[in-house]
Amino acid sequence: MRLIFLGPPGSGKGTQAKIIASKIGANHISTGDILREAVAAGTDLGKKAKKYMNAGELVPDEILLGLVREVLSNDRTADSFILDGFPRTIPQAEGLDKIFENLSIKLDWSIKLDVPDDAIIDRLTARYFCVNCKADYNLKTKPPKKEGICDICGGKLIRRDDDKREVIENRLSVYHKQTEPIESYYRERGLLKEIPADKGFDEVTEEIVKAIS
Ligand code: AP5
């Protein structure tokens, strides 16, 4: 199955993409994770992306299209995947269609996770992750047993650089201006499923499973 997960920052794309990918045996491709790893490793890609990410802006389309083209060119990945956080602009959606055409692959669904802005700000200002194993925590919904310490590996819990309140607000504004228009792109092609995602983790998973079954 080939899926795209759309939705505002903090709507649960990463959380749900991991769960669904493991249920259906698909590759989870998160452009945000790939970029964060490149920033941490100090690669050329990371150096180019860092300033955009820290400001809550989008990294330029040509960089993202090159990256996704390379990842999908691997036969095994192209077989079954969930794209999490890509595409995010109309040029990225159009470029992705060309990549699919060149690789002779077909998209099954775009899944849009719907969460209101105020709930997103609540979620993201409470998010932490483990510096070692990258496990996700949330002080409101998924707190660690011991404050500041990862339950799984004992690593220190830290925050993402772009989870500062002013950066979250800019990410939301960028989302509404640049990313929301791609919903119509997929709706017009009969490929959009909208999921109310301001609900418990398991309920959202169930709704997605129902939508793609
Ligand atoms: P990216 O990493 O993709 O960030 P994002 O879209 O802003 O999304 P997040 O990872 O913050 O949230 P999410 O929707 O995955 O939610 P999550 O599951 O983590 O991108 C980061 C940056 O990289 C961008 O700003 C941009 O600069 C760049 N970039 C990436 N892709 C790009 C592209 N295609 N083009 C250009 N630039 C690009 O959940 C969030 C929190 O909520 C967690 O704490 C979680 O535990 C909690 N939570 C999740 N579900 C629930 C629930 N149902 N109930 C309660 N809490 C929940």
Side-chain angles (χ1 to χ4, degrees):
M1 189 162 254
R2 296 164 184 134
L3 303 170
I4 288 172
F5 276 24
L6 306 172
S11 54
K13 301 182 296 296
T15 304
Q16 295 296 336
K18 279 187 201 111
I19 298 170
I20 302 291
S22 103
K23 274 185 189 293
I24 64 174
N27 295 293
H28 173 210
I29 305 165
S30 158
T31 47
D33 285 349
I34 295 172
L35 292 170
R36 271 184 294 281
E37 276 162 26
V39 170
T43 63
D44 282 351
L45 170 64
K47 283 180 196 147
K48 283 183 201 149
K50 188 174 178 180
K51 66 173 189 278
Y52 298 102
M53 296 175 80
N54 285 352
E57 297 291 331
L58 296 182
V59 177
D61 290 337
E62 60 278 13
I63 296 181
L64 264 296
L65 277 164
L67 190 157
V68 169
R69 190 177 300 114
E70 198 183 312
V71 174
L72 290 182
S73 296
N74 177 327
D75 285 350
R76 287 214 179 144
T77 309
D79 231 23
S80 180
F81 58 79
I82 299 180
L83 277 173
D84 158 13
F86 184 94
R88 260 172 148 108
T89 62
I90 295 284
Q92 287 184 16
E94 289 169 347
L96 183 61
D97 276 348
K98 289 207 185 92
I99 296 173
F100 286 164
E101 205 182 306
N102 289 339
L103 297 173
S104 306
I105 59 179
K106 192 181 149 285
L107 178 69
D108 289 295
W109 294 111
S110 292
I111 307 291
K112 152 83 194 297
L113 301 181
D114 243 328
V115 178
D117 286 6
D118 51 352
I120 280 167
I121 291 179
D122 273 0
R123 280 185 188 183
L124 293 184
T125 49
R127 169 164 66 180
Y128 282 78
F129 72 96
C130 172
V131 74
N132 288 338
C133 72
K134 313 288 181 235
D136 170 66
Y137 292 90
N138 194 290
L139 296 190
K140 295 208 170 131
T141 51
K142 217 169 38 163
K145 292 191 184 100
K146 203 165 159 199
E147 197 185 322
I149 305 289
C150 177
D151 296 348
I152 301 165
C153 74
K156 190 177 164 204
L157 301 188
I158 59 167
R159 309 205 51 205
R160 253 168 64 170
D161 287 339
D162 59 354
D163 277 348
K164 297 183 186 90
R165 196 181 175 97
E166 65 280 11
V167 182
I168 297 169
E169 284 168 356
N170 192 42
R171 285 160 64 197
L172 277 170
S173 142
V174 166
Y175 172 79
H176 291 303
K177 271 193 229 133
Q178 299 187 55
T179 305
E180 226 160 34
I182 66 175
E183 281 170 38
S184 323
Y185 185 91
Y186 289 109
R187 190 178 293 112
E188 281 159 16
R189 288 160 177 74
L191 288 169
L192 186 74
K193 296 270 189 183
E194 293 179 76
I195 309 287
D198 191 12
K199 298 180 175 180
F201 292 91
D202 294 347
E203 278 175 274
V204 178
T205 307
E206 267 174 43
E207 296 264 353
I208 298 172
V209 169
K210 239 190 276 165
I212 61 174
S213 294

